[in-house]
Amino acid sequence: MSDVEAVSVISVIGAGLAGSEAALAAAGQGVRVRLYEMRPAKMTPAHRTGNFAELVCSTSLGGEGIQQSKGLLQAEMRTVGAAIVGSADAAKVPAGNALAVDRDEFSARVTRLVREHPLIEVVEGEVTSIPDGIVVIASGPLTSDALAEDVARLTGSERLSFYDAAAPVIDVDSIDMSVAWRAGRYDQSADYLNCPFTKEEYLRFFGALETARTHTPHDWEKLEFFEGCMPIEEIARRGVDTPRFGPMSPKGLDDPRTGRWPYAVAQLRQEDREGRMWSLVGFQTGLKWGDQREVVQLIPGLQNAEIVRYGVMHRNTYLNAPTVLHSTLQLKADPQKLVAGVLAGTEGYLESSATGWLAGTNAARLARGLLPLTPPAESMLGGLVRYLASANPKGFQPMNVNWALVPELPVEINEKTGKPRKLGKREKRPVMFQRGLDAFTLWALDKAGLNVTPQPIPEPAGA
């Protein structure tokens, strides 16, 4: 590796989950890394220690097993020896089928791995401008104002958001198309799915919305709502008819079954290129997730809705990824700069660390004179970064991993009837898990040239 050791140092900004993983992934390829972290010299309102990869909200890195999209991403990261999942496994605590950790032991382990690595130099202090050369920007949701200004300079200020106001996103397979129909208002193109309410259905929905519990934000997350991003529950507080004269207006939408406008309508807009995910228009919300699911499932046509991303309302700093990023996580404006974690448009600890691994891996490849890579579409990491690069940029919101990110299985034909055989999700997800893990392992070995540890497929009983 002597030729690699002579490579110029790459920089990583931020020692959260994404930045720590990026630094260790790059150093693991023999590339020297300068890792910048402003804590403990400058703390954020959310953190309480100076340790790296500190978990500030939950102790969980998501559900495990062959039924879980996060379970597949965990397996992919274990295959390449990623540090965050490895540290989580070592610091694991009982939590049913979730990968939960002792947060102090976990962050201490990651900190030790970073500080003891001979190719990583830790530089303490705030970074106010992006360094020259190859850089991974992984500064997280609480990126300092000065650095955010420099990111905005590089990418365009209109592509940087500071306020995460997201609506629930639904798996298209769980939408009842015998109730919903596709149409646009008046002469608009038919780009929306429409869920019609009768008066009785609307009043039942409104009553549930009125009594649903909301998330109580941390002091550092307190929000000042503005009209363009008003949560649906805040709209409802203004009166029973306010939602149906606002985001739930039926005007211009003739129900094909009646030829008339419904009493109210909930609309869904396509989120991804393949049409696997649809978001509820105007339904930004801060409702607790259990209550949020109950309210959403009172919408006609969504009674069996599978929510692949819940609505959130909190302080966040992130890029409009499809306008600025390649699927390799390189910035279009400067391919020597890569972005990972929440700033890249991900949601969740596991997703942050996985994109950190890919950004660090690709930064090291650039430093070694190699082309950066994108994991296969069948893998969960490949599906996530492809989504970031190709999602609908209008109203883009951060995304966590879910099964709708990866391609559907080929349609099976029933030999007796000659008709397509539709698999239930409990049947098809283990097959998608195996397909994705196989594709990722082959890619990591043959395309990326990495050392891999093949991962056994979990038993179904442990899913």
Side-chain angles (χ1 to χ4, degrees):
M1 297 285 286
S2 59
D3 58 328
V4 175
E5 291 171 1
V7 167
S8 300
V9 174
I10 70 167
S11 300
V12 176
I13 304 175
L17 279 83
S20 296
E21 189 75 87
L24 287 163
Q29 293 193 51
V31 175
R32 294 190 177 277
V33 178
R34 184 171 292 123
L35 174 62
Y36 296 90
E37 173 53 50
M38 69 180 185
R39 292 180 300 115
K42 180 178 180 179
M43 297 295 288
T44 77
H47 293 85
R48 60 186 179 85
T49 77
N51 277 347
F52 303 154
E54 182 183 341
L55 306 183
V56 298
C57 295
S58 165
T59 61
S60 175
L61 275 75
E64 297 184 291
I66 57 177
Q67 293 287 343
Q68 305 295 328
S69 56
K70 286 183 186 281
L72 175 54
L73 186 55
Q74 292 162 12
E76 292 169 5
M77 292 296 95
R78 290 188 183 102
T79 295
V80 291
I84 294 299
V85 168
S87 297
D89 288 338
K92 186 175 181 179
V93 297
N97 293 326
L99 179 55
V101 301
D102 177 312
R103 69 176 71 191
D104 291 331
E105 181 185 349
F106 168 77
S107 60
R109 282 179 176 273
V110 176
T111 303
R112 197 160 53 246
L113 284 173
V114 171
R115 289 196 178 277
E116 292 179 359
H117 201 292
L119 294 181
I120 299 177
E121 174 194 1
V122 176
V123 180
E124 294 181 353
E126 181 182 359
V127 175
T128 57
S129 61
I130 301 168
D132 294 333
I134 301 169
V135 183
V136 175
I137 309 169
S139 46
L142 299 178
T143 297
S144 68
D145 292 342
L147 181 58
E149 286 180 12
D150 204 45
V151 172
R153 174 195 59 76
L154 183 60
T155 61
S157 59
E158 74 281 0
R159 295 166 178 165
L160 186 66
S161 300
F162 296 92
Y163 188 72
D164 194 350
V169 176
I170 314 298
D171 186 330
V172 71
D173 289 340
S174 66
I175 301 172
D176 185 350
M177 293 304 296
S178 69
V179 176
W181 82 96
R182 188 162 187 153
R185 297 183 190 277
Y186 299 111
D187 59 350
Q188 293 176 345
S189 58
D191 292 334
Y192 295 86
L193 296 180
N194 301 279
C195 298
F197 289 81
T198 64
K199 183 175 182 179
E200 293 72 23
E201 289 168 336
Y202 176 79
L203 292 176
R204 185 163 60 248
F205 165 85
F206 184 87
L209 189 58
E210 272 193 309
T211 58
R213 298 168 299 165
T214 58
H215 165 67
T216 302
H218 297 285
D219 289 343
W220 54 275
E221 287 183 327
K222 285 183 178 177
L223 305 174
E224 295 182 7
F225 301 125
F226 52 94
E227 295 299 319
C229 267
M230 185 71 64
I232 187 67
E233 59 270 22
E234 292 293 324
I235 295 173
R237 289 193 180 97
R238 299 182 178 186
V240 66
D241 287 323
T242 308
R244 72 184 194 95
F245 284 98
M248 300 180 70
S249 170
K251 290 183 178 180
L253 292 167
D254 295 327
D255 188 331
R257 283 151 295 218
T258 65
R260 301 190 304 272
W261 295 353
Y263 189 75
V265 166
Q267 287 193 304
L268 296 103
R269 178 177 58 221
Q270 186 171 325
E271 278 286 303
D272 64 322
R273 185 176 294 168
E274 290 76 22
R276 300 284 309 285
M277 293 177 278
W278 292 73
S279 63
L280 279 159
V281 178
F283 271 68
Q284 294 88 355
T285 182
L287 296 181
K288 289 182 177 290
W289 286 7
D291 296 52
Q292 194 174 141
R293 181 177 61 253
E294 292 176 7
V295 169
V296 166
Q297 291 182 343
L298 285 174
I299 297 173
L302 301 185
Q303 60 271 16
N304 298 312
E306 183 170 341
I307 302 175
V308 299
R309 186 192 70 200
Y310 283 86
V312 292
M313 302 287 295
H314 57 75
R315 166 71 164 82
N316 202 354
T317 305
Y318 64 94
L319 289 164
N320 188 329
T323 67
V324 301
L325 285 184
H326 295 293
S327 60
T328 55
L329 300 179
Q330 294 170 281
L331 281 175
K332 294 176 181 178
D334 183 348
Q336 286 203 318
K337 308 298 185 285
L338 302 94
V339 186
V342 173
L343 190 62
T346 68
E347 187 79 50
Y349 290 141
L350 182 65
E351 291 84 343
S352 287
S353 68
T355 55
W357 176 85
L358 182 61
T361 297
N362 278 336
R365 289 182 65 85
L366 288 171
R368 297 168 61 195
L370 302 173
L371 291 174
L373 299 171
T374 301
E378 297 84 1
S379 70
M380 196 54 65
L381 180 55
L384 175 61
V385 296
R386 281 173 167 80
Y387 172 83
L388 295 179
S390 65
N392 184 352
K394 183 178 180 181
F396 173 80
Q397 295 289 342
M399 177 59 71
N400 49 17
V401 294
N402 60 81
W403 289 112
L405 290 172
V406 298
E408 270 284 13
L409 295 172
V411 175
E412 292 186 13
I413 302 298
N414 187 305
E415 292 182 1
K416 292 182 179 181
T417 65
K419 295 181 179 180
R421 177 173 176 260
K422 186 173 178 62
L423 297 178
K425 65 183 181 182
R426 295 198 66 82
E427 288 182 279
K428 69 182 181 180
R429 286 180 179 175
V431 180
M432 296 168 80
F433 188 108
Q434 178 77 68
R435 178 190 66 175
L437 186 54
D438 287 348
F440 184 84
T441 303
L442 184 62
W443 169 84
L445 184 63
D446 288 352
K447 298 292 185 183
L450 301 172
N451 295 323
V452 301
T453 303
Q455 297 300 301
I457 303 298
E459 294 295 326

PDB file of all heavy atoms in Angstrom, residues 154-170:
ATOM      1  N   LEU A 154     -21.575  27.049  -2.241  1.00  0.00           N
ATOM      2  CA  LEU A 154     -21.124  26.048  -3.198  1.00  0.00           C
ATOM      3  C   LEU A 154     -22.289  25.436  -3.981  1.00  0.00           C
ATOM      4  O   LEU A 154     -22.177  25.175  -5.175  1.00  0.00           O
ATOM      5  CB  LEU A 154     -20.359  24.938  -2.466  1.00  0.00           C
ATOM      6  CG  LEU A 154     -19.755  23.824  -3.318  1.00  0.00           C
ATOM      7  CD1 LEU A 154     -18.757  24.381  -4.327  1.00  0.00           C
ATOM      8  CD2 LEU A 154     -19.066  22.799  -2.418  1.00  0.00           C
ATOM      9  N   THR A 155     -23.414  25.228  -3.320  1.00  0.00           N
ATOM     10  CA  THR A 155     -24.529  24.499  -3.940  1.00  0.00           C
ATOM     11  C   THR A 155     -25.655  25.394  -4.418  1.00  0.00           C
ATOM     12  O   THR A 155     -26.487  24.975  -5.218  1.00  0.00           O
ATOM     13  CB  THR A 155     -25.113  23.481  -2.952  1.00  0.00           C
ATOM     14  OG1 THR A 155     -25.621  24.182  -1.796  1.00  0.00           O
ATOM     15  CG2 THR A 155     -24.058  22.478  -2.503  1.00  0.00           C
ATOM     16  N   GLY A 156     -25.729  26.618  -3.903  1.00  0.00           N
ATOM     17  CA  GLY A 156     -26.867  27.492  -4.185  1.00  0.00           C
ATOM     18  C   GLY A 156     -27.748  27.562  -2.952  1.00  0.00           C
ATOM     19  O   GLY A 156     -28.205  26.532  -2.450  1.00  0.00           O
ATOM     20  N   SER A 157     -27.981  28.750  -2.444  1.00  0.00           N
ATOM     21  CA  SER A 157     -28.695  28.899  -1.172  1.00  0.00           C
ATOM     22  C   SER A 157     -30.098  28.326  -1.221  1.00  0.00           C
ATOM     23  O   SER A 157     -30.634  27.856  -0.215  1.00  0.00           O
ATOM     24  CB  SER A 157     -28.755  30.381  -0.769  1.00  0.00           C
ATOM     25  OG  SER A 157     -29.413  31.137  -1.776  1.00  0.00           O
ATOM     26  N   GLU A 158     -30.732  28.338  -2.408  1.00  0.00           N
ATOM     27  CA  GLU A 158     -32.103  27.830  -2.510  1.00  0.00           C
ATOM     28  C   GLU A 158     -32.154  26.316  -2.376  1.00  0.00           C
ATOM     29  O   GLU A 158     -33.228  25.725  -2.274  1.00  0.00           O
ATOM     30  CB  GLU A 158     -32.726  28.253  -3.841  1.00  0.00           C
ATOM     31  CG  GLU A 158     -32.219  27.516  -5.069  1.00  0.00           C
ATOM     32  CD  GLU A 158     -30.857  28.007  -5.575  1.00  0.00           C
ATOM     33  OE1 GLU A 158     -30.302  28.937  -4.951  1.00  0.00           O
ATOM     34  OE2 GLU A 158     -30.379  27.466  -6.581  1.00  0.00           O
ATOM     35  N   ARG A 159     -31.008  25.664  -2.366  1.00  0.00           N
ATOM     36  CA  ARG A 159     -30.965  24.193  -2.280  1.00  0.00           C
ATOM     37  C   ARG A 159     -30.626  23.707  -0.882  1.00  0.00           C
ATOM     38  O   ARG A 159     -30.385  22.535  -0.668  1.00  0.00           O
ATOM     39  CB  ARG A 159     -29.938  23.658  -3.278  1.00  0.00           C
ATOM     40  CG  ARG A 159     -30.327  23.932  -4.731  1.00  0.00           C
ATOM     41  CD  ARG A 159     -29.183  23.721  -5.652  1.00  0.00           C
ATOM     42  NE  ARG A 159     -29.592  23.942  -7.050  1.00  0.00           N
ATOM     43  CZ  ARG A 159     -28.753  24.113  -8.045  1.00  0.00           C
ATOM     44  NH1 ARG A 159     -27.464  24.122  -7.823  1.00  0.00           N
ATOM     45  NH2 ARG A 159     -29.191  24.300  -9.272  1.00  0.00           N
ATOM     46  N   LEU A 160     -30.606  24.600   0.094  1.00  0.00           N
ATOM     47  CA  LEU A 160     -30.263  24.238   1.458  1.00  0.00           C
ATOM     48  C   LEU A 160     -31.436  24.597   2.355  1.00  0.00           C
ATOM     49  O   LEU A 160     -31.891  25.737   2.361  1.00  0.00           O
ATOM     50  CB  LEU A 160     -29.002  24.977   1.903  1.00  0.00           C
ATOM     51  CG  LEU A 160     -28.429  24.610   3.268  1.00  0.00           C
ATOM     52  CD1 LEU A 160     -27.922  23.170   3.276  1.00  0.00           C
ATOM     53  CD2 LEU A 160     -27.291  25.553   3.644  1.00  0.00           C
ATOM     54  N   SER A 161     -31.928  23.621   3.091  1.00  0.00           N
ATOM     55  CA  SER A 161     -33.092  23.823   3.953  1.00  0.00           C
ATOM     56  C   SER A 161     -32.672  23.798   5.414  1.00  0.00           C
ATOM     57  O   SER A 161     -31.740  23.094   5.794  1.00  0.00           O
ATOM     58  CB  SER A 161     -34.147  22.743   3.696  1.00  0.00           C
ATOM     59  OG  SER A 161     -34.591  22.775   2.364  1.00  0.00           O
ATOM     60  N   PHE A 162     -33.403  24.550   6.229  1.00  0.00           N
ATOM     61  CA  PHE A 162     -33.118  24.589   7.655  1.00  0.00           C
ATOM     62  C   PHE A 162     -34.325  24.161   8.479  1.00  0.00           C
ATOM     63  O   PHE A 162     -34.326  24.262   9.684  1.00  0.00           O
ATOM     64  CB  PHE A 162     -32.724  26.011   8.079  1.00  0.00           C
ATOM     65  CG  PHE A 162     -31.447  26.485   7.451  1.00  0.00           C
ATOM     66  CD1 PHE A 162     -31.464  27.186   6.260  1.00  0.00           C
ATOM     67  CD2 PHE A 162     -30.227  26.198   8.037  1.00  0.00           C
ATOM     68  CE1 PHE A 162     -30.288  27.623   5.671  1.00  0.00           C
ATOM     69  CE2 PHE A 162     -29.040  26.623   7.448  1.00  0.00           C
ATOM     70  CZ  PHE A 162     -29.072  27.337   6.265  1.00  0.00           C
ATOM     71  N   TYR A 163     -35.339  23.630   7.818  1.00  0.00           N
ATOM     72  CA  TYR A 163     -36.600  23.381   8.490  1.00  0.00           C
ATOM     73  C   TYR A 163     -37.220  22.142   7.878  1.00  0.00           C
ATOM     74  O   TYR A 163     -37.570  22.132   6.703  1.00  0.00           O
ATOM     75  CB  TYR A 163     -37.512  24.597   8.281  1.00  0.00           C
ATOM     76  CG  TYR A 163     -38.790  24.584   9.062  1.00  0.00           C
ATOM     77  CD1 TYR A 163     -38.780  24.791  10.426  1.00  0.00           C
ATOM     78  CD2 TYR A 163     -40.008  24.409   8.415  1.00  0.00           C
ATOM     79  CE1 TYR A 163     -39.963  24.817  11.141  1.00  0.00           C
ATOM     80  CE2 TYR A 163     -41.193  24.429   9.118  1.00  0.00           C
ATOM     81  CZ  TYR A 163     -41.164  24.636  10.484  1.00  0.00           C
ATOM     82  OH  TYR A 163     -42.341  24.667  11.188  1.00  0.00           O
ATOM     83  N   ASP A 164     -37.290  21.075   8.641  1.00  0.00           N
ATOM     84  CA  ASP A 164     -37.773  19.797   8.126  1.00  0.00           C
ATOM     85  C   ASP A 164     -39.255  19.672   8.436  1.00  0.00           C
ATOM     86  O   ASP A 164     -39.643  19.394   9.567  1.00  0.00           O
ATOM     87  CB  ASP A 164     -36.981  18.660   8.788  1.00  0.00           C
ATOM     88  CG  ASP A 164     -37.180  17.341   8.064  1.00  0.00           C
ATOM     89  OD1 ASP A 164     -38.058  17.272   7.204  1.00  0.00           O
ATOM     90  OD2 ASP A 164     -36.435  16.402   8.379  1.00  0.00           O
ATOM     91  N   ALA A 165     -40.078  19.935   7.450  1.00  0.00           N
ATOM     92  CA  ALA A 165     -41.531  19.842   7.601  1.00  0.00           C
ATOM     93  C   ALA A 165     -42.016  18.820   6.599  1.00  0.00           C
ATOM     94  O   ALA A 165     -42.216  19.130   5.435  1.00  0.00           O
ATOM     95  CB  ALA A 165     -42.180  21.202   7.352  1.00  0.00           C
ATOM     96  N   ALA A 166     -42.170  17.580   7.049  1.00  0.00           N
ATOM     97  CA  ALA A 166     -42.444  16.484   6.122  1.00  0.00           C
ATOM     98  C   ALA A 166     -43.813  15.888   6.362  1.00  0.00           C
ATOM     99  O   ALA A 166     -44.296  15.823   7.491  1.00  0.00           O
ATOM    100  CB  ALA A 166     -41.374  15.408   6.249  1.00  0.00           C
ATOM    101  N   ALA A 167     -44.423  15.427   5.280  1.00  0.00           N
ATOM    102  CA  ALA A 167     -45.696  14.717   5.332  1.00  0.00           C
ATOM    103  C   ALA A 167     -45.431  13.217   5.264  1.00  0.00           C
ATOM    104  O   ALA A 167     -44.382  12.781   4.785  1.00  0.00           O
ATOM    105  CB  ALA A 167     -46.580  15.151   4.169  1.00  0.00           C
ATOM    106  N   PRO A 168     -46.370  12.391   5.721  1.00  0.00           N
ATOM    107  CA  PRO A 168     -46.191  10.941   5.609  1.00  0.00           C
ATOM    108  C   PRO A 168     -46.073  10.505   4.155  1.00  0.00           C
ATOM    109  O   PRO A 168     -46.698  11.082   3.264  1.00  0.00           O
ATOM    110  CB  PRO A 168     -47.468  10.377   6.239  1.00  0.00           C
ATOM    111  CG  PRO A 168     -48.012  11.475   7.091  1.00  0.00           C
ATOM    112  CD  PRO A 168     -47.618  12.747   6.408  1.00  0.00           C
ATOM    113  N   VAL A 169     -45.270   9.461   3.922  1.00  0.00           N
ATOM    114  CA  VAL A 169     -45.099   8.873   2.599  1.00  0.00           C
ATOM    115  C   VAL A 169     -45.609   7.434   2.650  1.00  0.00           C
ATOM    116  O   VAL A 169     -45.280   6.683   3.571  1.00  0.00           O
ATOM    117  CB  VAL A 169     -43.623   8.906   2.152  1.00  0.00           C
ATOM    118  CG1 VAL A 169     -43.446   8.201   0.820  1.00  0.00           C
ATOM    119  CG2 VAL A 169     -43.142  10.349   2.054  1.00  0.00           C
ATOM    120  N   ILE A 170     -46.400   7.061   1.638  1.00  0.00           N
ATOM    121  CA  ILE A 170     -47.117   5.795   1.638  1.00  0.00           C
ATOM    122  C   ILE A 170     -46.578   4.871   0.549  1.00  0.00           C
ATOM    123  O   ILE A 170     -46.303   5.312  -0.580  1.00  0.00           O
ATOM    124  CB  ILE A 170     -48.632   6.025   1.388  1.00  0.00           C
ATOM    125  CG1 ILE A 170     -49.169   7.168   2.263  1.00  0.00           C
ATOM    126  CG2 ILE A 170     -49.423   4.735   1.588  1.00  0.00           C
ATOM    127  CD1 ILE A 170     -49.064   6.935   3.733  1.00  0.00           C
TER     128      ILE A 170
END
